[in-house]
């Protein structure tokens, strides 16, 4: 019975670590929170099978390399060695991994609260201080840093991109720590895309083509009137005929003038 319970708990720890169990939200801040609770609860079995089942949880579920290796070695040893490991021999490896987790958190810190909390925990030589920060202190510090970051995305903040991000940041700040973290990890980028789309200039509407200028017909070329002279023969004959006509007219005029004088 004890072995079955330990295996069930081990499965719950694994699911929590990968984010599929009931402790998935807490695991987002500390992926081994359930495993830590399992270790701190201690071992209460008596049979060799129960000793082995407890060690198997540590060998398959922890993200700490020292504990995993120590548990694997104990499972490969004698029953006496296995019992010695479960009855307290695991603590040295477990504490080494707790400090490793603190170091990882400090290296990945993006805000002042997490940085200060991890540094304070690492400065202590008390494993209880390490576990306290990893169990509860880290989540509180991360929430404080997340609120600081989200506040910079409000209107007027140094990380604001527009009204969409401002509205999303306000909603995240009014939500749960998990909702705020999700906003910082993914939601803010969707809001930024909306702001960028709103700020983009509208596509230019192509102008209608100008009407074609009417074609003006060119005026007809001016023509010089041609005076046709009726003439026959050569040009000399034409001049002679003209002189003859003038002579006739002059002669007729002289005759008329002479008659008027005689009558007078």
């Amino acid at each position: 019975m004890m072995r079955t319970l330990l295996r069930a708990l081990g499965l719950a720890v694994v699911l929590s670590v990968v984010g599929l169990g009931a402790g998935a939200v807490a695991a987002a801040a500390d992926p081994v929170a359930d495993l830590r609770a399992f270790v701190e609860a201690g071992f209460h079995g008596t049979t060799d099978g129960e000793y082995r089942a407890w060690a198997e949880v540590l060998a398959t579920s922890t993200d700490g390399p020292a504990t995993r290796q120590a548990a694997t070695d104990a499972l490969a040893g004698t029953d006496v060695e296995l019992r010695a490991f479960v009855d307290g021999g695991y603590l040295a490896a477990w504490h080494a991994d707790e400090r490793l987790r603190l170091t990882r958190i400090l290296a990945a810190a993006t805000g002042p609260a997490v940085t200060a909390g991890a540094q304070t925990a690492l400065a202590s030589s008390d494993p209880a201080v390490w576990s306290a920060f990893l169990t509860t202190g880290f989540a509180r510090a991360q929430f404080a840093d997340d609120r600081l970051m989200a506040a910079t995305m409000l209107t007027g903040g140094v990380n604001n991109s527009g009204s969409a991000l401002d509205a999303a940041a306000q909603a995240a700040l009014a939500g749960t720590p998990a909702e705020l973290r999700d906003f910082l990890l993914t939601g803010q980028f969707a809001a930024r895309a909306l702001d960028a789309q709103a700020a983009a200039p509208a596509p230019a509407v192509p102008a209608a083509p100008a009407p074609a200028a009417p074609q003006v017909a060119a005026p007809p070329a001016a023509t010089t009137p041609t005076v046709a002279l009726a003439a026959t023969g050569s040009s000399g004959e034409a001049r002679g005929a003209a002189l003859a006509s003038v002579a006739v007219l002059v002669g007729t005029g002289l005759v008329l003038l002479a008659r008027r004088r005689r009558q007078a």
Side-chain angles (χ1 to χ4, degrees), residues 47-187:
T47 67
D48 290 343
E50 290 167 346
Y51 272 93
R52 181 166 293 276
W54 199 89
E56 285 174 350
V57 172
L58 297 186
T60 59
S61 302
T62 183
D63 68 339
T67 303
R68 181 173 58 249
Q69 186 60 52
T72 301
D73 293 344
L75 288 167
T78 65
D79 289 342
V80 173
E81 291 171 336
L82 179 60
R83 284 174 175 264
F85 171 77
V86 173
D87 286 339
Y90 68 90
L91 285 173
W94 175 257
H95 292 157
D97 286 339
E98 290 285 78
R99 285 193 65 86
L100 177 61
R101 294 182 186 105
L102 287 171
T103 302
R104 290 171 176 168
I105 288 174
L106 180 59
T110 57
V114 171
T115 299
Q119 288 176 340
T120 299
L122 283 169
S124 173
S125 59
D126 186 356
V129 174
W130 310 339
S131 294
F133 177 76
L134 292 169
T135 302
T136 58
F138 174 47
R140 288 196 299 266
Q142 186 66 67
F143 184 47
D145 285 342
D146 287 350
R147 289 189 64 83
L148 284 177
M149 178 57 68
T152 68
M153 300 179 190
L154 299 173
T155 297
V158 295
N159 289 316
N160 177 257
S161 62
S163 58
L165 183 60
D166 175 75
Q170 289 189 42
L173 286 167
T176 65
E179 290 169 341
L180 178 58
R181 179 115 285 261
D182 182 67
F183 163 73
L184 293 176
L185 294 177
T186 59

Side-chain angles (χ1 to χ4, degrees), residues 229-232 234-251:
L229 296 177
T232 59
S234 64
S235 59
E237 292 176 347
R239 286 195 295 271
L243 291 174
S245 297
V246 171
V248 171
L249 291 174
V250 171

Side-chain angles (χ1 to χ4, degrees), residues 256-264:
L256 291 175
L257 180 61
R259 286 178 180 178
R260 287 178 180 177
R261 285 179 178 177
R262 284 195 299 268
Q263 291 175 357

